[in-house]
Each structure stands twice: as structure tokens, then as C-alpha cells.
């Protein structure tokens, strides 16, 4: 027996962070449908604008959004929206964030400054978020306390260590986000 479409609860989740941090990879690893990706080849026009220095194999970049879907059970569906990471695309974030229950902010500790715009965005809008440290080389040299301090995170903001390529790790990150969003909802009601 399938749930009637009127019984479905859709939840919108954002995947945000800086350039080349793994947002598209995370959406790809989780989506049960072929994800909608707006990746384009990087051209010479991005020289001096996008810095692929620490991600030298990166040849494409998201220019609008990534979209994926996860059916949790017969009544709950998560819609994943990956935001573009570069400043020139931030004007789209308000539309993407509208109606979302929370966000995963992906962080590459080799380029920690790249995550501050996303953290500031969600803090300013009081949207629940978790910080997900994507396991790039060197990320395991730090503990959660050091990450919280370096990013000046609120005391209740979860920090998760994950690998965006791994579905289990990515699912655990979403679970932490949902738990965090529910805990914040319980406090405000």
C-alpha cells in the first residue's frame, strides 16, 4: 500500500559551502534519482575568480544548483538543493533557502575561510545548520572543539566529520541536521 501523495511530507534541505568543497558530490551520493546538476566546464573566464589550487582535478563548477531526492519512508521525502559556492552566485541563495528546514555547511579545513559566508548566511536567517567537515587531507588533524572555536560557531551547532563520497557518512550528516532542526523547533514551541 502506497501513501497518498497528499500524505507526503516534503522537507527541503540545503547543501552549502565554498567552491570545490563537495556539495555536488554529497547530492550525488545521496539522491535516489539521477540528480539534476548544473555543472559547467571551467573556462579561462574563471581564472583569478575561482581558485582550484587545492582541488586541481576540478574541471567543472555548479552555476545554479544541484537537486536530488531521498524517500525516507512512505510519508517523508527530503529534497536536496546544493547551492553554488562562488560569491557571484550568492544572489540565488534566498530563493533556494525559501521553505528549507535546515542546511549542511560543508567545510574543507584547508580552506576554512570559504565556509564563513554560508555560516553567516544561515546564522543571520536563524536557519538550523550543521557544519560537516569533509575529510580532505589534513582535516583529521583537528578536533570538533578546535573547529567550533575557529569558526566561532554557536554552542548548539553540531560538527560532523564526514566523507561526501560515502552514502552512509552522508546519511549520518543528514540525520544530525534533522535532529538539530527538530531540537531547535522543540525549544521555540
Amino acid at each position: 500500500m502506497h501513501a497518498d501523495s497528499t500524505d507526503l511530507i516534503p522537507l527541503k534541505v540545503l547543501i552549502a559551502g565554498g567552491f570545490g568543497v563537495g556539495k555536488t558530490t554529497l547530492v550525488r551520493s545521496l539522491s535516489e534519482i539521477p540528480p539534476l546538476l548544473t555543472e559547467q566546464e571551467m573556462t579561462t573566464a574563471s581564472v583569478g575568480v575561482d581558485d582550484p589550487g587545492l582541488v586541481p582535478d576540478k574541471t567543472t563548477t555548479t552555476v545554479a544548483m544541484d537537486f536530488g531526492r531521498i524517500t525516507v519512508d512512505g510519508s517523508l521525502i527530503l529534497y536536496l538543493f546544493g547551492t553554488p559556492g562562488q560569491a557571484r552566485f550568492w544572489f540565488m541563495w534566498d530563493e533556494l533557502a525559501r521553505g528549507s528546514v535546515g542546511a549542511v555547511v560543508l567545510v574543507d579545513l584547508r580552506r576554512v575561510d570559504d565556509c564563513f559566508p554560508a555560516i553567516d548566511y544561515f546564522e543571520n536567517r536563524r536557519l538550523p545548520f550543521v557544519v560537516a567537515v569533509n575529510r580532505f587531507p589534513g582535516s583529521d588533524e583537528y578536533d570538533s572543539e578546535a573547529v567550533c572555536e575557529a569558526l566561532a560557531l554557536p554552542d548548539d551547532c553540531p560538527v560532523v566529520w564526514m566523507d561526501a563520497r560515502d552514502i552512509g557518512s552522508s546519511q549520518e550528516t543528514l540525520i544530525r541536521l534533522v535532529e538539530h532542526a527538530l531540537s531547535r523547533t522543540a525549544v521555540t514551541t
Side-chain angles (χ1 to χ4, degrees), residues 121-143:
Y121 181 89
F122 298 119
E123 281 183 339
N124 289 336
R125 285 154 184 82
R126 296 192 168 116
L127 191 65
F129 68 95
V130 298
V131 168
V133 178
N134 203 358
R135 291 190 180 234
F136 287 101
S139 62
D140 289 335
E141 296 173 16
Y142 304 94
D143 61 20

Side-chain angles (χ1 to χ4, degrees), residues 3-69:
D4 185 299
S5 64
T6 59
D7 296 334
L8 290 176
I9 300 169
L11 296 178
K12 183 179 186 180
V13 173
L14 294 182
I15 311 298
F19 171 74
V21 76
K23 298 175 298 292
T24 298
T25 301
L26 179 62
V27 171
R28 260 194 200 122
S29 76
L30 287 170
S31 185
E32 67 192 19
I33 62 171
L36 167 68
L37 306 174
T38 61
E39 288 201 308
Q40 294 295 313
E41 290 291 321
M42 292 173 54
T43 66
T44 56
S46 68
V47 173
V49 177
D50 299 329
D51 180 13
L54 289 171
V55 282
D57 295 333
K58 185 167 181 59
T59 59
T60 61
T61 189
T62 300
V63 296
M65 68 175 186
D66 298 321
F67 173 78
R69 182 185 77 200

Side-chain angles (χ1 to χ4, degrees), residues 145-166:
E145 188 175 308
V147 172
C148 285
E149 186 176 317
L151 300 179
L153 295 174
D155 292 337
D156 69 335
C157 182
V159 174
V160 180
W161 298 84
M162 55 95 62
D163 182 338
R165 301 167 297 183
D166 179 72

